[in-house]
Amino acid sequence: MKAMTLDKNLNFLWQEVADPIRKAGEVLIKIHAAAINRADIMQKDGCYASPPEWPQWCGLEAAGEVIEAPEDSNFKPGDRVCALLGGGGYSQMTSVPCGMVIPVPENLSMIEAAAIPEVWATVYLNMEYEAGGLTANDTLYIQAGASGIGLAAIQYAKLKGAKVIASAGTPEKVEFIRKLGADIAFNYKQDDENTILSENTPTVTLDCVGGKNMGEKLAKMAFKGRWIMIASLAGGQTSIDLEQVWRKRLKLIGSTLRSRTNEEKSAVMQSLHRELSPFFSSGKLINHIHAVFPISEVEAAQAVLRRAENIGKVVLTLD
Protein backbone atom coordinates (compact mmCIF):
# COMPACT_ATOMS: atom_id res chain seq x y z
CA MET A 1 0.00 0.00 0.00
CA LYS A 2 0.96 3.67 -0.11
CA ALA A 3 1.15 6.10 2.79
CA MET A 4 1.95 9.78 3.25
CA THR A 5 5.09 9.33 5.31
CA LEU A 6 7.58 11.86 6.66
CA ASP A 7 11.17 11.70 5.43
CA LYS A 8 14.24 12.49 7.55
CA ASN A 9 13.72 16.21 6.88
CA LEU A 10 10.04 15.97 7.91
CA ASN A 11 8.80 16.46 4.37
CA PHE A 12 5.73 14.56 3.19
CA LEU A 13 6.46 11.63 0.90
CA TRP A 14 3.76 9.48 -0.76
CA GLN A 15 5.46 6.12 -1.00
CA GLU A 16 5.06 2.37 -0.85
CA VAL A 17 5.12 0.89 2.65
CA ALA A 18 4.41 -2.57 3.97
CA ASP A 19 0.76 -3.54 4.16
CA PRO A 20 -0.55 -3.65 7.74
CA ILE A 21 -0.77 -7.12 9.23
CA ARG A 22 -4.01 -7.66 11.08
CA LYS A 23 -3.46 -8.97 14.59
CA ALA A 24 -5.98 -10.93 16.64
CA GLY A 25 -8.81 -8.67 17.74
CA GLU A 26 -8.17 -6.11 15.02
CA VAL A 27 -10.12 -4.88 11.98
CA LEU A 28 -8.31 -4.31 8.69
CA ILE A 29 -9.73 -1.23 6.95
CA LYS A 30 -9.37 0.24 3.46
CA ILE A 31 -9.28 3.99 4.12
CA HIS A 32 -11.42 6.32 2.02
CA ALA A 33 -11.03 9.53 4.05
CA ALA A 34 -8.90 10.82 6.93
CA ALA A 35 -9.49 14.02 8.89
CA ILE A 36 -6.74 16.45 9.87
CA ASN A 37 -6.06 17.44 13.48
CA ARG A 38 -3.60 19.87 15.03
CA ALA A 39 -1.73 16.87 16.43
CA ASP A 40 -0.91 15.99 12.81
CA ILE A 41 0.69 19.39 12.34
CA MET A 42 2.73 18.88 15.50
CA GLN A 43 3.82 15.48 14.19
CA LYS A 44 4.73 17.03 10.82
CA ASP A 45 6.88 19.53 12.75
CA GLY A 46 8.68 16.74 14.58
CA CYS A 47 7.30 17.24 18.08
CA TYR A 48 4.48 14.71 18.52
CA ALA A 49 5.40 11.21 17.38
CA SER A 50 2.93 8.35 17.15
CA PRO A 51 2.97 5.88 20.06
CA PRO A 52 5.54 3.17 19.20
CA GLU A 53 2.96 0.49 18.36
CA TRP A 54 1.37 2.67 15.65
CA PRO A 55 2.62 3.73 12.18
CA GLN A 56 4.97 6.67 12.41
CA TRP A 57 3.06 8.95 10.08
CA CYS A 58 0.12 11.30 10.60
CA GLY A 59 -3.56 10.52 10.93
CA LEU A 60 -5.65 10.07 14.09
CA GLU A 61 -9.06 9.37 12.56
CA ALA A 62 -10.29 7.78 9.37
CA ALA A 63 -13.29 6.21 7.66
CA GLY A 64 -13.39 3.36 5.21
CA GLU A 65 -14.46 -0.16 4.36
CA VAL A 66 -13.74 -3.33 6.31
CA ILE A 67 -11.43 -5.75 4.50
CA GLU A 68 -11.03 -8.34 7.26
CA ALA A 69 -12.44 -8.67 10.78
CA PRO A 70 -12.41 -11.26 13.58
CA GLU A 71 -15.13 -13.88 13.21
CA ASP A 72 -16.47 -13.09 16.67
CA SER A 73 -16.69 -9.34 16.05
CA ASN A 74 -19.66 -7.23 14.93
CA PHE A 75 -17.92 -6.41 11.65
CA LYS A 76 -17.74 -8.14 8.29
CA PRO A 77 -16.01 -7.32 4.98
CA GLY A 78 -17.68 -4.43 3.21
CA ASP A 79 -18.98 -2.70 6.33
CA ARG A 80 -18.62 1.09 6.41
CA VAL A 81 -16.72 2.10 9.54
CA CYS A 82 -14.78 4.92 11.13
CA ALA A 83 -11.90 4.46 13.55
CA LEU A 84 -9.85 6.23 16.20
CA LEU A 85 -6.14 5.73 15.53
CA GLY A 86 -2.88 6.30 17.37
CA GLY A 87 -1.33 7.26 14.04
CA GLY A 88 -1.18 6.14 10.43
CA GLY A 89 -4.44 7.48 9.01
CA TYR A 90 -2.77 9.11 6.01
CA SER A 91 -2.55 5.78 4.20
CA GLN A 92 -4.53 3.38 2.06
CA MET A 93 -5.06 0.80 4.81
CA THR A 94 -4.86 0.44 8.56
CA SER A 95 -5.42 -2.27 11.17
CA VAL A 96 -7.22 -1.16 14.33
CA PRO A 97 -8.36 -2.84 17.57
CA CYS A 98 -12.08 -3.68 17.26
CA GLY A 99 -13.10 -1.48 20.16
CA MET A 100 -11.72 1.63 18.45
CA VAL A 101 -13.86 1.01 15.37
CA ILE A 102 -17.55 1.96 15.08
CA PRO A 103 -20.07 1.76 12.22
CA VAL A 104 -20.52 4.87 10.12
CA PRO A 105 -23.79 6.39 11.37
CA GLU A 106 -26.64 6.13 8.90
CA ASN A 107 -26.95 8.99 6.38
CA LEU A 108 -23.31 10.09 6.77
CA SER A 109 -20.70 10.09 4.02
CA MET A 110 -17.20 8.72 4.47
CA ILE A 111 -15.92 12.30 4.59
CA GLU A 112 -18.30 13.22 7.40
CA ALA A 113 -17.59 9.98 9.27
CA ALA A 114 -13.82 10.49 9.09
CA ALA A 115 -14.28 13.62 11.21
CA ILE A 116 -16.03 11.82 14.08
CA PRO A 117 -13.52 9.67 16.00
CA GLU A 118 -10.78 11.99 17.29
CA VAL A 119 -12.87 15.12 17.79
CA TRP A 120 -15.95 13.53 19.32
CA ALA A 121 -13.95 11.07 21.41
CA THR A 122 -11.97 14.01 22.79
CA VAL A 123 -15.13 15.92 23.67
CA TYR A 124 -16.88 12.86 25.11
CA LEU A 125 -13.83 11.86 27.15
CA ASN A 126 -13.39 15.28 28.67
CA MET A 127 -17.01 16.16 29.29
CA GLU A 128 -18.04 12.79 30.71
CA TYR A 129 -14.89 11.27 32.21
CA GLU A 130 -12.81 14.30 33.22
CA ALA A 131 -15.55 16.85 34.00
CA GLY A 132 -17.75 14.19 35.58
CA GLY A 133 -20.62 14.72 33.15
CA LEU A 134 -22.35 17.86 31.91
CA THR A 135 -25.82 18.78 33.14
CA ALA A 136 -28.31 21.58 32.60
CA ASN A 137 -26.78 23.27 35.66
CA ASP A 138 -23.40 23.68 33.95
CA THR A 139 -21.94 26.57 32.02
CA LEU A 140 -19.26 25.40 29.59
CA TYR A 141 -16.59 27.81 28.34
CA ILE A 142 -14.96 26.75 25.07
CA GLN A 143 -11.94 28.43 23.53
CA ALA A 144 -11.36 28.07 19.77
CA GLY A 145 -15.07 27.53 19.39
CA ALA A 146 -14.92 27.27 15.58
CA SER A 147 -12.38 24.43 15.58
CA GLY A 148 -13.49 20.85 15.07
CA ILE A 149 -13.38 20.20 18.81
CA GLY A 150 -15.02 23.54 19.56
CA LEU A 151 -17.99 22.88 17.28
CA ALA A 152 -18.40 19.37 18.70
CA ALA A 153 -18.21 20.63 22.29
CA ILE A 154 -20.85 23.32 21.66
CA GLN A 155 -23.27 20.75 20.25
CA TYR A 156 -22.56 18.19 22.96
CA ALA A 157 -23.09 20.74 25.72
CA LYS A 158 -26.39 21.91 24.22
CA LEU A 159 -27.48 18.27 23.88
CA LYS A 160 -26.96 17.99 27.65
CA GLY A 161 -28.84 21.23 28.32
CA ALA A 162 -25.79 23.23 29.47
CA LYS A 163 -25.20 26.93 28.84
CA VAL A 164 -22.33 27.60 26.42
CA ILE A 165 -19.83 30.44 26.22
CA ALA A 166 -17.53 30.19 23.19
CA SER A 167 -14.82 32.36 21.69
CA ALA A 168 -13.49 32.71 18.17
CA GLY A 169 -11.17 35.05 16.29
CA THR A 170 -13.23 36.45 13.39
CA PRO A 171 -16.74 37.87 13.02
CA GLU A 172 -17.62 35.04 10.62
CA LYS A 173 -16.58 32.39 13.12
CA VAL A 174 -18.41 34.12 15.95
CA GLU A 175 -21.60 34.23 13.90
CA PHE A 176 -21.24 30.55 12.98
CA ILE A 177 -20.85 29.33 16.55
CA ARG A 178 -23.74 31.54 17.67
CA LYS A 179 -26.00 29.94 15.05
CA LEU A 180 -24.75 26.50 16.08
CA GLY A 181 -26.04 27.05 19.60
CA ALA A 182 -23.53 29.00 21.69
CA ASP A 183 -25.51 31.13 24.15
CA ILE A 184 -22.70 33.67 24.33
CA ALA A 185 -20.32 33.91 21.37
CA PHE A 186 -17.60 36.54 21.33
CA ASN A 187 -14.48 37.64 19.47
CA TYR A 188 -11.52 37.20 21.80
CA LYS A 189 -9.51 39.72 19.74
CA GLN A 190 -12.06 42.50 20.26
CA ASP A 191 -14.24 41.76 23.28
CA ASP A 192 -13.39 41.93 26.99
CA GLU A 193 -13.04 38.25 27.82
CA ASN A 194 -12.62 38.75 31.57
CA THR A 195 -15.82 40.80 31.80
CA ILE A 196 -17.74 38.14 29.87
CA LEU A 197 -16.46 35.38 32.15
CA SER A 198 -17.17 37.43 35.28
CA GLU A 199 -20.77 37.95 34.17
CA ASN A 200 -21.22 34.33 33.01
CA THR A 201 -19.27 32.22 35.48
CA PRO A 202 -18.13 28.94 33.90
CA THR A 203 -18.40 25.67 35.80
CA VAL A 204 -16.41 23.78 33.14
CA THR A 205 -13.77 25.03 30.69
CA LEU A 206 -12.34 23.11 27.73
CA ASP A 207 -9.02 24.81 27.00
CA CYS A 208 -6.78 24.14 24.01
CA VAL A 209 -5.14 27.58 24.19
CA GLY A 210 -3.37 28.07 27.53
CA GLY A 211 -0.96 30.99 27.30
CA LYS A 212 -0.07 33.80 29.66
CA ASN A 213 -3.68 34.88 30.31
CA MET A 214 -4.88 31.43 31.28
CA GLY A 215 -4.32 31.93 35.03
CA GLU A 216 -6.34 35.14 35.06
CA LYS A 217 -9.26 33.37 33.38
CA LEU A 218 -8.98 30.38 35.72
CA ALA A 219 -9.74 32.73 38.61
CA LYS A 220 -13.12 33.52 37.00
CA MET A 221 -14.35 29.94 37.40
CA ALA A 222 -17.30 29.06 39.61
CA PHE A 223 -16.94 27.30 42.95
CA LYS A 224 -15.80 23.69 42.31
CA GLY A 225 -15.15 24.56 38.67
CA ARG A 226 -13.30 22.13 36.39
CA TRP A 227 -10.72 23.58 33.98
CA ILE A 228 -9.63 20.92 31.47
CA MET A 229 -6.49 21.56 29.42
CA ILE A 230 -6.05 19.55 26.23
CA ALA A 231 -3.38 21.73 24.56
CA SER A 232 -1.48 24.99 25.00
CA LEU A 233 -1.44 26.56 21.54
CA ALA A 234 -0.75 30.05 22.95
CA GLY A 235 2.12 28.86 25.14
CA GLY A 236 2.81 26.86 28.26
CA GLN A 237 3.53 29.61 30.79
CA THR A 238 1.05 31.47 32.99
CA SER A 239 0.67 32.77 36.54
CA ILE A 240 -2.01 31.21 38.76
CA ASP A 241 -3.46 32.67 41.96
CA LEU A 242 -3.27 29.54 44.11
CA GLU A 243 -5.47 31.06 46.77
CA GLN A 244 -8.31 31.12 44.24
CA VAL A 245 -7.67 27.43 43.54
CA TRP A 246 -8.08 26.22 47.11
CA ARG A 247 -10.74 28.73 48.18
CA LYS A 248 -12.95 27.82 45.20
CA ARG A 249 -11.93 24.14 45.27
CA LEU A 250 -11.06 24.36 41.60
CA LYS A 251 -9.82 21.40 39.58
CA LEU A 252 -7.15 21.98 36.94
CA ILE A 253 -7.11 18.83 34.83
CA GLY A 254 -4.57 17.92 32.16
CA SER A 255 -5.95 15.57 29.54
CA THR A 256 -4.83 13.90 26.32
CA LEU A 257 -6.46 11.20 24.24
CA ARG A 258 -3.59 9.95 22.10
CA SER A 259 -1.43 8.60 24.94
CA ARG A 260 -4.23 6.54 26.52
CA THR A 261 -4.31 2.79 26.21
CA ASN A 262 -6.26 1.06 23.46
CA GLU A 263 -8.59 -0.25 26.16
CA GLU A 264 -9.33 3.26 27.42
CA LYS A 265 -9.89 4.55 23.89
CA SER A 266 -12.15 1.60 23.11
CA ALA A 267 -14.32 2.34 26.13
CA VAL A 268 -14.72 5.96 25.02
CA MET A 269 -15.49 5.02 21.41
CA GLN A 270 -18.09 2.42 22.32
CA SER A 271 -19.84 4.76 24.76
CA LEU A 272 -19.77 7.51 22.16
CA HIS A 273 -21.27 5.14 19.58
CA ARG A 274 -24.11 4.04 21.85
CA GLU A 275 -25.01 7.55 22.97
CA LEU A 276 -24.35 9.73 19.94
CA SER A 277 -24.70 7.71 16.72
CA PRO A 278 -28.51 8.19 16.61
CA PHE A 279 -28.00 11.95 16.81
CA PHE A 280 -25.52 11.89 13.92
CA SER A 281 -27.93 9.82 11.83
CA SER A 282 -30.83 12.19 12.51
CA GLY A 283 -28.79 15.33 11.84
CA LYS A 284 -29.16 16.55 15.42
CA LEU A 285 -25.35 16.52 15.66
CA ILE A 286 -23.30 17.57 12.64
CA ASN A 287 -19.69 17.53 11.55
CA HIS A 288 -19.14 20.76 9.67
CA ILE A 289 -16.62 20.06 6.91
CA HIS A 290 -14.69 23.21 6.05
CA ALA A 291 -12.71 21.78 3.12
CA VAL A 292 -11.81 18.52 1.40
CA PHE A 293 -8.46 17.84 -0.28
CA PRO A 294 -7.00 14.80 -2.04
CA ILE A 295 -4.17 13.20 -0.09
CA SER A 296 -1.74 14.52 -2.72
CA GLU A 297 -2.51 18.06 -1.48
CA VAL A 298 -1.84 17.35 2.19
CA GLU A 299 0.48 20.37 2.56
CA ALA A 300 -2.26 22.73 1.40
CA ALA A 301 -4.79 20.97 3.63
CA GLN A 302 -2.65 21.31 6.75
CA ALA A 303 -1.92 24.93 5.86
CA VAL A 304 -5.60 25.74 6.34
CA LEU A 305 -5.29 24.72 10.01
CA ARG A 306 -1.92 26.44 10.40
CA ARG A 307 -3.52 29.72 9.31
CA ALA A 308 -6.57 29.05 11.52
CA GLU A 309 -8.88 29.62 8.56
CA ASN A 310 -11.13 26.65 9.16
CA ILE A 311 -14.59 26.52 10.63
CA GLY A 312 -14.81 22.85 11.52
CA LYS A 313 -12.88 20.04 9.91
CA VAL A 314 -10.51 19.62 6.98
CA VAL A 315 -10.58 16.14 5.45
CA LEU A 316 -8.30 14.23 3.07
CA THR A 317 -9.67 11.75 0.53
CA LEU A 318 -7.84 8.66 -0.65
CA ASP A 319 -10.18 7.51 -3.45
Side-chain angles (χ1 to χ4, degrees), residues 12-312:
F12 282 122
L13 180 63
W14 183 243
Q15 66 171 352
E16 289 286 344
V17 298
D19 289 355
I21 298 173
R22 186 178 70 84
K23 303 182 183 71
E26 290 187 345
V27 178
L28 183 64
I29 301 169
K30 177 184 177 181
I31 295 176
H32 291 278
I36 294 178
N37 292 277
R38 287 202 170 271
D40 300 344
I41 294 173
M42 294 170 65
Q43 186 162 4
K44 169 68 166 65
D45 293 343
C47 56
Y48 199 13
S50 303
E53 69 272 20
W54 288 90
Q56 295 302 301
W57 55 81
C58 300
L60 297 179
E61 54 187 345
E65 180 182 335
V66 173
I67 300 172
E68 297 177 4
E71 290 185 1
D72 61 350
S73 74
N74 295 321
F75 302 108
K76 63 182 185 301
D79 284 349
R80 300 168 73 246
V81 296
C82 55
L84 179 65
L85 314 173
Y90 293 13
S91 59
Q92 293 177 321
M93 291 190 290
T94 188
S95 190
V96 189
C98 281
M100 294 164 63
V101 182
I102 63 173
V104 171
E106 292 182 15
N107 303 318
L108 266 65
S109 67
M110 289 289 192
I111 289 170
E112 292 167 322
I116 289 177
E118 174 69 16
V119 159
W120 287 90
T122 295
V123 170
Y124 191 89
L125 165 72
N126 288 298
M127 296 300 95
E128 294 303 316
Y129 289 62
E130 300 290 9
L134 283 184
T135 73
N137 294 321
D138 280 308
T139 296
L140 175 65
Y141 171 43
I142 305 162
Q143 302 192 79
S147 66
I149 285 176
L151 297 185
I154 290 169
Q155 294 178 79
Y156 189 75
K158 297 311 297 180
L159 190 68
K160 296 294 183 178
K163 180 179 178 179
V164 173
I165 309 164
S167 65
T170 70
E172 295 77 15
K173 290 181 177 181
V174 170
E175 181 61 20
F176 189 93
I177 61 178
R178 181 179 291 115
K179 289 181 178 179
L180 191 66
D183 299 280
I184 298 172
F186 68 93
N187 188 330
Y188 68 86
K189 296 178 181 178
Q190 299 175 355
D191 300 321
D192 187 340
E193 191 167 7
N194 286 325
T195 297
I196 291 169
L197 296 181
S198 295
E199 294 175 350
N200 304 274
T201 310
T203 60
V204 180
T205 293
L206 186 61
D207 182 12
C208 63
V209 177
K212 64 179 182 180
N213 296 325
M214 176 262 176
E216 187 176 0
K217 289 182 285 189
L218 176 67
K220 306 295 183 184
M221 293 290 286
F223 181 71
K224 298 178 71 174
R226 297 92 83 197
W227 186 288
I228 304 167
M229 292 209 67
I230 59 173
S232 51
L233 297 176
Q237 300 295 319
T238 191
S239 178
I240 294 175
D241 182 349
L242 296 178
E243 185 170 333
Q244 289 286 332
V245 174
W246 63 261
R247 284 190 182 277
K248 289 187 173 182
R249 292 168 57 186
L250 301 178
K251 292 183 179 179
L252 175 57
I253 302 165
S255 177
T256 63
L257 177 61
R258 191 176 198 179
S259 63
R260 294 174 191 259
T261 66
N262 291 341
E263 291 74 19
E264 289 175 302
K265 293 177 182 178
S266 294
V268 172
M269 283 294 287
Q270 295 308 308
S271 294
L272 181 157
H273 170 55
R274 288 191 297 271
E275 184 170 343
L276 300 186
S277 283
F279 294 104
F280 289 121
S281 297
S282 68
K284 176 74 173 180
L285 297 177
I286 64 167
N287 270 336
H288 186 260
I289 307 301
H290 178 84
V292 179
F293 292 83
I295 188 73
S296 59
E297 297 179 20
V298 61
E299 286 275 13
Q302 286 200 353
V304 174
L305 269 71
R306 288 184 185 275
R307 296 190 297 265
E309 294 174 352
N310 57 301
I311 297 176

